Amino acid sequence: MDMSSKSDQQLQNLVDNHRSAGKLDAPLAVAAIEEQARRNTTFNFKAGIEFLLQAARDRRAVNYRQLAEAGNVLKASDTWHQHMARKIPLSQIVDYAHTHDMPAITALVETTQGVTDSILAGFQKGLNDTGIRLPVGISIREYYFAERQRTFDWATDK
């Protein structure tokens, strides 16, 4: 199916319907997710993903500002404002990673203060939205850091 002819709302509906059915890996959903990424004019999705993958290969965490700069949301000389974090499509990044057999690479993203409750809540929401469930008996903090380590290990093999 040609996704370029679909409206933004139609793409979102396709993703949401597949998400609800637990079939986010279906070819139609994957195509819709890729088209959403391609259309994102606020955040350079390809550059942002490559930045995260390089950070994983370097075995380092990144902050929102660094990811925003990598995704061309702002320039290095621009003043950072908290609302800019909303321009980074973390949920789309989780979906993209999931549908491309990557770990949850958003486990690399933290604030300049480190891994806060807000970071963990956002990470949990991204996992839930994508249909990824925590293993029984593990906290979101434990899973976040385990997923970060898994991302580092995965990137080493790429």
Side-chain angles (χ1 to χ4, degrees), residues 83-100:
H83 73 275
M84 291 177 175
R86 284 181 262 157
K87 295 182 178 184
I88 302 170
L90 292 176
S91 291
Q92 282 184 351
I93 292 171
V94 173
D95 286 349
Y96 183 89
H98 179 72
T99 59
H100 287 80

Side-chain angles (χ1 to χ4, degrees), residues 9-96:
Q9 187 58 55
Q10 287 172 317
L11 290 173
Q12 190 59 53
N13 289 344
L14 277 169
V15 172
D16 290 345
N17 290 340
H18 281 82
R19 185 186 317 280
S20 295
K23 297 182 178 181
L24 206 55
D25 293 333
L28 197 59
V30 172
I33 289 166
E34 287 178 354
E35 182 64 16
Q36 284 180 319
R38 189 189 67 71
R39 288 186 190 181
N40 191 328
T41 58
T42 304
F43 180 82
N44 182 327
F45 204 84
K46 183 176 179 181
I49 293 288
E50 185 49 47
F51 174 75
L52 287 171
L53 295 178
Q54 185 59 55
R57 287 188 288 272
D58 295 343
R59 304 182 78 77
R60 65 181 169 83
V62 301
N63 64 46
Y64 279 105
R65 181 184 181 96
Q66 292 168 323
L67 184 54
E69 287 176 13
N72 298 321
V73 170
L74 76 161
K75 298 181 186 102
S77 60
D78 291 342
T79 302
W80 173 258
H81 299 284
Q82 190 62 33
H83 73 275
M84 291 177 175
R86 284 181 262 157
K87 295 182 178 184
I88 302 170
L90 292 176
S91 291
Q92 282 184 351
I93 292 171
V94 173
D95 286 349
Y96 183 89

